[in-house]
């Protein structure tokens, strides 16, 4: 794919991953595992679409969502954060249903970062797909890896664009792969203007 097909664009990247799914996959029959996963992902996808996010890809028990590729003119960061909070609230509802059915509960960690990426079609005539690449995507992945069950962690770049919109915990500084300096992260606790709080799963 020629490099001129890629554009530099600021986007907000949301990465979500189901916690403990590997042990579930090893315990349940394949059909039951796929049913649990699909029921969960269908409802989360509906939330993404409601907030005008773009699902970039599904990767087993995780998926990546982009905000900013469609250029709606609205605040992409706020929509990404509202989406993440709604996803965790929905996971809480899903788990209540799973408990009532005697099924294993699923939990999710979310990492969000905002920055400039290369966006465009990647692949060949045999197969190609629109995606984003760059260091900011990698950072979103590193942040997501730190998130606990039910948690939403955001980068400093994202926080700088939404500090008056979300309630967060104290900043945390961590070392991540590929960065020589420590990276600052913030845990999203709620969105006061929308009267929404995250259900806490782990402290």
């Amino acid at each position: 794919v020629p490099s001129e097909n890629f554009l530099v664009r600021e986007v907000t990247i949301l990465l979500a991953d189901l916690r403990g799914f590997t042990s579930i996959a090893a315990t349940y029959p394949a059909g039951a595992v796929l049913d649990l996963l699909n029921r969960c992902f269908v409802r989360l996808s509906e939330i993404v679409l409601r907030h005008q996010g773009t699902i970039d890809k599904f990767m087993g028990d995780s998926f990546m969502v982009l905000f900013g590729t469609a250029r709606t003119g609205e605040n992409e960061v706020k929509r990404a954060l509202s989406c993440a909070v709604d996803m965790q609230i929905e996971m809480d509802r899903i788990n209540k249903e799973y408990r009532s059915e005697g099924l294993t509960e699923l939990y999710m960690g979310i990492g969000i970062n905002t920055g400039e990426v290369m966006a465009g079609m990647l692949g060949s005539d045999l197969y190609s797909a629109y995606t984003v690449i760059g260091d900011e995507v990698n950072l979103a992945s590193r942040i997501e890896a730190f998130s606990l069950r039910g948690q939403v962690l955001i980068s400093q770049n994202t926080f700088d664009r939404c500090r008056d919109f979300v309630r967060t915990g104290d900043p945390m500084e961590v070392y991540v792969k590929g960065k020589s300096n420590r990276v600052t992260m913030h845990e999203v606790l709620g969105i006061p203007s929308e009267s929404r709080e995250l259900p806490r799963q782990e402290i």
Side-chain angles (χ1 to χ4, degrees):
V1 178
S3 60
E4 57 266 24
N5 290 342
F6 280 82
L7 298 173
V8 176
R9 177 170 290 179
E10 181 176 288
V11 299
T12 295
I13 306 133
L14 183 158
L15 274 163
D17 180 74
L18 292 175
R19 298 291 184 256
F21 186 76
T22 302
S23 62
I24 294 173
T27 305
Y28 283 77
V33 171
L34 290 175
D35 180 60
L36 283 172
L37 197 59
N38 276 328
R39 286 174 61 180
C40 179
F41 278 0
V42 165
R43 288 165 65 170
L44 295 180
S45 296
E46 291 172 351
I47 292 173
V48 170
L49 295 178
R50 189 166 70 238
H51 289 281
Q52 301 177 53
T54 301
I55 298 175
D56 181 79
K57 61 175 71 73
F58 286 99
M59 302 162 285
D61 59 352
S62 64
F63 59 99
M64 183 166 78
V65 181
L66 305 175
F67 293 84
T69 57
R71 295 191 179 281
T72 62
E74 300 175 15
N75 190 313
E76 310 290 352
V77 177
K78 289 183 179 180
R79 289 196 291 108
L81 292 166
S82 291
C83 179
V85 171
D86 279 352
M87 286 167 65
Q88 294 292 24
I89 291 173
E90 187 64 23
M91 285 300 300
D92 199 48
R93 294 193 187 105
I94 290 171
N95 278 330
K96 289 177 181 176
E97 295 173 11
Y98 283 3
R99 282 196 297 271
S100 68
E101 297 174 29
L103 299 173
T104 299
E105 298 170 32
L106 296 174
Y107 296 96
M108 187 170 58
I110 297 177
I112 299 177
N113 181 39
T114 304
E116 289 190 343
V117 300
M118 295 289 290
M121 298 297 295
L122 189 65
S124 67
D125 292 337
L126 296 176
Y127 174 79
S128 62
Y130 184 89
T131 190
V132 296
I133 56 176
D135 188 54
E136 301 297 344
V137 180
N138 297 333
L139 180 56
S141 178
R142 305 290 185 235
I143 292 172
E144 180 274 314
F146 277 95
S147 62
L148 301 175
R149 301 188 308 172
Q151 205 172 31
V152 176
L153 297 179
I154 63 176
S155 68
Q156 185 65 41
N157 278 350
T158 300
F159 178 74
D160 288 341
R161 292 162 173 76
C162 67
R163 60 176 70 235
D164 296 327
F165 180 67
V166 293
R167 184 172 68 86
T168 62
D170 294 331
M172 300 168 280
E173 292 189 341
V174 298
Y175 284 104
V176 301
K177 183 179 178 181
K179 296 286 186 181
S180 56
N181 297 322
R182 287 186 293 182
V183 169
T184 301
M185 303 185 302
H186 303 260
E187 179 186 5
V188 175
L189 302 177
I191 303 177
S193 62
E194 298 176 359
S195 300
R196 283 182 292 167
E197 299 287 324
L198 261 79
R200 300 300 297 276
Q201 307 297 341
E202 295 182 309
I203 303 298

